[in-house]
Amino acid sequence: MVWRIHFSEDDLARIQVSPTMGPLAETVLAVALLRWPQQPRTMLSEWRGQVLLTQQIRPLTALLPPGCHGVDLPTLTGEKATIEQGLRALLDVPREHLLVEMEYTDRRHRLPGLAWAVAEAGGRAKLAEAAQAAYYELVQPFWPRIHACLHAEQATRRRTLAGQGPGALLASLQGPRIRWRPPVLEIMMPGNVEMELGGRGIALVPSVFVGKDPSLHENPNDVDEMPRLVLPAADSARLWAAPRSRGSALAALVGRNRAAVLQSIADGCTTTELARRVGISLAAASQHASVLRGAGLIVTRRQGGAVLHVLTPLGAELLQAG
């Protein structure tokens, strides 16, 4: 079983790398993940131990049957930077658009009566309230870390796209379930899918809660809209671990202003770029990066012949606080 996504030259030229579809989308995926028995219970076990699906969330869980991603609310609402924007978009989704997605899901996973009620007058407000409650319970306490993780993923992929081109970016996705066989991206998933992008391109979106498998999203209500391929974020497993004691590493920061260095790493950079941005020597940039890495504020990834520094969730939180 394989999904095959066919790329033309125009599609390759239009590839986009998004940081995230936003907190509402991550909330919907988080609820679906908790209700998916085929997903390993060990996945995000630290997070699972801190959250709970409450009765208040029922209008949302009704749209997300166990064993699937459910009704594609993230595609209906689009990319929204804040939960408030996402909830407004959810309230504004045309009834007929929501029903198209619900009927598609219902053909494979039967939706309960409560699900159909949220599409009617008065039901949408209850759905928005449930989504808000789910966000506060499952995502909001961790959102700064999640956001930083997803932006780090975007920075890495964008550098590959800008420096090596779309083919190299698609090749970098290869793993046990993804293969780039130009001009086709193959994804080992249940069912056979042949998707012709037709010049629309595709957006690659990292997610913490998509689970172990990629998720392909296409809007049946807008045939011209760019599809999205949602991929598991590489470093999401590190988000939930208790911060290790940083003791002397953090003490090394006291009295020394590394805010400019941390700010320069916000979008990802190599040691050479860091030195140029801050106006310091290569040796000094390397030393700064070493201290920040020891303090748990950045991580360093190898990218070809260079190394790329990106913020950790803790580093992003510190930068925002400053």
Side-chain angles (χ1 to χ4, degrees):
M1 301 290 193
V2 61
W3 300 348
R4 292 167 51 85
I5 306 174
H6 298 259
F7 288 78
S8 66
E9 290 298 322
D10 286 342
D11 294 316
L12 290 171
R14 289 186 171 91
I15 288 178
Q16 295 182 8
V17 180
S18 300
T20 170
M21 288 187 70
L24 176 63
E26 286 296 301
T27 299
V28 172
L29 291 171
V31 174
L33 181 68
L34 289 173
R35 290 171 56 77
W36 199 318
Q38 290 85 1
Q39 296 285 357
R41 294 290 302 173
T42 54
M43 175 175 287
L44 306 183
S45 58
E46 296 90 345
W47 168 74
R48 289 174 184 267
Q50 300 177 60
V51 299
L52 181 67
L53 290 177
T54 65
Q55 284 293 106
Q56 193 176 0
I57 302 173
R58 284 188 65 238
L60 177 58
T61 59
L63 294 175
L64 307 171
C68 70
H69 288 299
V71 178
D72 194 356
L73 298 177
T75 291
L76 290 171
T77 56
E79 296 182 12
K80 295 294 181 286
T82 67
I83 187 62
E84 291 78 14
Q85 292 172 359
L87 293 173
R88 283 197 296 272
L90 183 59
L91 290 169
D92 291 340
V93 171
R95 175 179 179 272
E96 60 272 18
H97 290 188
L98 178 57
L99 288 175
V100 167
E101 288 287 358
M102 291 176 64
E103 289 163 0
Y104 178 83
T105 300
D106 188 61
R107 288 195 293 270
R108 294 158 178 79
H109 300 270
R110 183 66 61 184
L111 293 175
L114 179 58
W116 300 99
V118 303
E120 304 305 325
R124 194 70 62 85
K126 294 179 180 178
L127 175 60
E129 291 171 2
Q132 184 176 49
Y135 168 72
Y136 286 136
E137 171 65 22
L138 307 179
V139 175
Q140 191 271 340
F142 317 101
W143 181 246
R145 292 184 174 194
I146 292 170
H147 194 253
C149 171
L150 299 179
H151 271 268
E153 193 88 359
Q154 179 202 33
T156 302
R157 289 179 181 158
R158 276 190 172 174
R159 290 182 66 89
T160 301
L161 179 61
Q164 302 174 51
L169 174 61
L170 294 173
S172 73
L173 304 179
Q174 291 190 152
R177 297 181 181 274
I178 302 180
R179 295 179 301 200
W180 171 234
R181 294 183 172 179
V184 178
L185 186 69
E186 296 182 344
I187 305 175
M188 305 302 117
M189 292 292 291
N192 291 310
V193 174
E194 297 283 342
M195 176 183 282
E196 297 283 350
L197 294 176
R200 294 174 297 171
I202 198 167
L204 305 180
V205 187
S207 170
V208 168
F209 296 114
V210 71
K212 60 184 177 63
D213 300 323
S215 178
L216 186 59
H217 298 252
E218 189 174 26
N219 190 348
N221 300 294
D222 186 354
V223 295
D224 295 323
E225 183 175 302
M226 177 180 287
R228 297 178 179 88
L229 180 60
V230 181
L231 300 157
D235 292 333
S236 59
R238 303 179 185 180
L239 285 172
W240 324 110
R244 60 186 174 87
S245 175
R246 291 177 290 278
S248 59
L250 279 177
L253 296 175
V254 176
R256 302 186 63 181
N257 184 9
R258 288 194 168 93
V261 175
L262 203 60
Q263 181 66 58
S264 296
I265 296 174
D267 293 325
C269 67
T270 66
T271 306
T272 300
E273 289 168 339
L274 177 60
R276 185 172 63 249
R277 292 177 183 181
V278 184
I280 56 179
S281 69
L282 193 61
S286 179
Q287 193 269 339
H288 280 303
S290 178
V291 172
L292 294 172
R293 187 166 52 250
L297 303 179
I298 68 170
V299 293
T300 300
R301 301 174 176 177
R302 182 156 297 281
Q303 188 179 52
V307 293
L308 179 67
H309 307 297
V310 294
L311 297 181
T312 64
L314 178 63
E317 290 183 55
L318 180 64
L319 193 59
Q320 291 171 357

